[in-house]
């Protein structure tokens, strides 16, 4: 699971939007490009989840995981804008919705260089769990949405 609080909040927002406004981008095409360090072999879980939400928003023919453009070669990552110093640890995603005539483009991005934001999310999650143990909370599996809803982030 993604431990970056801001990306988790962004995903939750897009999930809400897809539930409340299905087809709001009807007739739009969708392109997703994600770049991660070359050692990441699989498609980003965040990008896969965003495909679900954005497919609902755009309606029509869905795009699939295979349609996600995955950048793992340094020359392509640099051309995408990834700083050279972040090639060994980054997560850059761009989601582009384009109207059928090309006159309207919506673009959502989140670009992470390094791993600090994930570590901060882990610290908040551990603090959240410690508080749940201290208050003898019900035993259940919590997730980062629970951490966000608690609003006790550092």
């Amino acid at each position: 699971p993604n431990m970056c609080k801001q990306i988790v909040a962004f995903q939750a927002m897009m999930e809400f939007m897809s539930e409340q406004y299905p087809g709001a981008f009807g007739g739009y095409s969708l392109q997703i490009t994600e770049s991660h360090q070359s050692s990441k072999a699989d498609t980003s879980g965040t990008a896969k989840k965003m495909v679900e939400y954005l497919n609902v928003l755009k309606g029509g023919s869905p795009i699939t995981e295979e349609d996600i453009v995955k950048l793992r070669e340094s020359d392509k990552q640099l051309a995408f804008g990834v700083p050279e110093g972040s090639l060994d640890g980054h997560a850059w995603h761009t989601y582009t919705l384009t109207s059928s005539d090309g006159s309207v483009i919506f673009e959502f991005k989140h670009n992470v260089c390094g791993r600090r934001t994930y570590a901060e999310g882990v610290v908040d999650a551990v603090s959240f769990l410690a508080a749940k143990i201290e208050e003898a909370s019900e035993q259940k599996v919590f997730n980062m949405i629970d951490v966000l809803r608690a609003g006790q982030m550092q």
Side-chain angles (χ1 to χ4, degrees), residues 28 97-106:
Y28 280 60
L97 290 153
T98 305
S99 65
S100 59
D101 66 358
S103 65
V104 181
I105 297 174
F106 282 84

Side-chain angles (χ1 to χ4, degrees), residues 48-105:
K48 289 190 277 192
K49 205 66 180 155
M50 291 299 294
V51 163
E52 291 178 32
Y53 307 141
L54 292 167
N55 274 334
V56 171
L57 284 167
K58 75 175 199 64
S61 299
I63 73 161
T64 66
E65 179 181 337
E66 290 73 34
D67 296 315
I68 298 170
V69 176
K70 293 173 274 303
L71 305 177
R72 299 294 184 267
E73 301 84 20
S74 60
D75 59 329
K76 292 179 182 174
Q77 293 170 331
L78 292 168
F80 192 50
V82 177
E84 188 169 0
S86 296
L87 290 175
D88 288 339
H90 70 280
W92 281 39
H93 294 228
T94 301
Y95 313 95
T96 305
L97 290 153
T98 305
S99 65
S100 59
D101 66 358
S103 65
V104 181
I105 297 174

